[in-house]
Amino acid sequence: MDHHHHHPNATASPSSSYSSTTTATTANLNSATTITSTATNLNGVASNDPMHAWWESISKARTRIHSLASILRSVALSSLADSDHPARALLLSPEVYSAVSEALSSPDSGSGSDPLCQWLYETFQFSDPDLRLIVYAYVPLICGVYMSRVVSAPTSDPSASAPSLVGFEAVLLAIYGLEVKARAGKPVVVSIPDLSQPSLYHTPREKAGSGAGSSRPVVGVVCGPLEAQNAVKSTKRAAIAGAALDCYFKQIAHMPSWSKVEFCEYVAAWAGQHCKCETELDEQEEEVIDGFSEIRISVEGRDDEEDEDDVVVERNGKVGLGKNGDSSFASKGKRIPLPWELLQPVLRILGHCLLGPLNPQDVKDSASVAVRRLYARASHDLVPQGILATRSLIQLDNRMRKTANEAGTATSVSNVNTPSKAKKPEVLLVSK
């Protein structure tokens, strides 16, 4: 029976979990900026001086980087702290992301005493947008590890207690609380145009003497209002994780590609095991898309006793899902419940990863696998919204790959048929 997800200190707010650490960090930060603030005031410069705000932002970022360096001792962060934009340099560092990913994925991570979770929580408390982008970049990783561990099978030893996940919950609640404040108790709505009008931009005329002829715009509720939460309850876990992923989606244009690939890997694991029906839409295509042939894997002819992970490894190696090409999706997470409040932001992010024109090919390939896994999952669970959304994304993906394949073929044929012009002889001007 699933009740509240209790751990030691789980019912306490995130501020109480990390109050002492946050107080110490704030004190150090205030002492580090006292000289600058005093000098600014003595020189008669206004406190809202842009130069002062810029220097304060740089000082905060360097303080957080030095604090992270004491946790990640295997990575040299001095060069990042000395850069002109330290927060952005930290965000775009693949070495730092790899080290943080390895630390957060370790079996003993996520507890209330986890120093990395404390660092992420404290960093998010600063109002600096660049520092918050760093925390947003790790939201897929935190959600992936946290949601997978929640549904993991209990240990064989009944006397052993479940691992504490208070550290993950504190970070997710901090992001969720900011989103609750931003929405101010209002739902997220979208205006649906009246399709009975001749044009989407047509304004009907009102009848003479009455306003009965005017049509009211139809409003659809995308997300309901959020309720403030002081702890992660089992009934609100999906909503909290979904709100955190929604915040990630709002900043996805600033997110590095490896963060998007990590998200797609976890989504593929959340959807469950490999199934034949995930490629049924591709098999209905009359033409084979060369750009997608390496992602489409037929499971026909395989023995039933064959390990499912072998299929996953083959797909993983071909599309680049995984750091070394030999890790399976199962190592990235577990199959989890996917209610609409969690599936909706997941589909938004996958849509960007799949169709974003500036995304590298590995992001698009990772999203291709994940969205087909979700289509198979939605088909088995009979989720109409999930089936329609994933089906549309798969069809758009096939069309884009087909268009790109045709454009590449046309370009190659044009280059072959275009005769090369003879070079004109060089004329050398010699001064007499």
Side-chain angles (χ1 to χ4, degrees), residues 2 23 28 33 65 105 125 130 133 163 190 218 228 234 243 260 284 301-302 306 314 329 338-339 347 409 432:
D2 192 8
T23 304
N28 294 335
T33 56
I65 291 177
S105 301
Q125 301 307 313
D130 290 335
L133 284 178
V190 60
V218 181
S234 60
K260 301 176 186 178
Q284 295 173 4
R302 293 182 179 269
E306 186 175 4
E314 183 179 351
F329 290 138
L338 291 174
L347 291 172
T409 304
K432 296 181 180 180

Side-chain angles (χ1 to χ4, degrees), residues 60-133:
K60 290 179 181 179
R62 290 176 177 174
T63 302
R64 300 311 301 158
I65 291 177
H66 291 314
S67 176
L68 182 62
S70 62
I71 302 174
L72 303 177
R73 300 184 181 275
S74 59
V75 182
L77 303 179
S78 57
S79 59
L80 302 179
D82 296 336
S83 62
D84 295 336
H85 301 282
R88 187 56 56 94
L90 183 63
L91 173 67
L92 301 179
S93 173
E95 293 80 10
V96 174
Y97 188 90
S98 178
V100 173
S101 177
E102 182 179 359
L104 290 180
S105 301
S106 61
D108 55 347
S109 64
S111 63
S113 59
D114 188 348
L116 199 51
C117 289
Q118 293 181 5
W119 185 89
L120 290 170
Y121 176 84
E122 295 165 7
T123 302
F124 192 80
Q125 301 307 313
F126 293 98
S127 59
D128 187 86
D130 290 335
L131 290 178
R132 285 182 173 174
L133 284 178

Side-chain angles (χ1 to χ4, degrees), residues 70 135 157 170:
S70 62
V135 182
D157 186 4

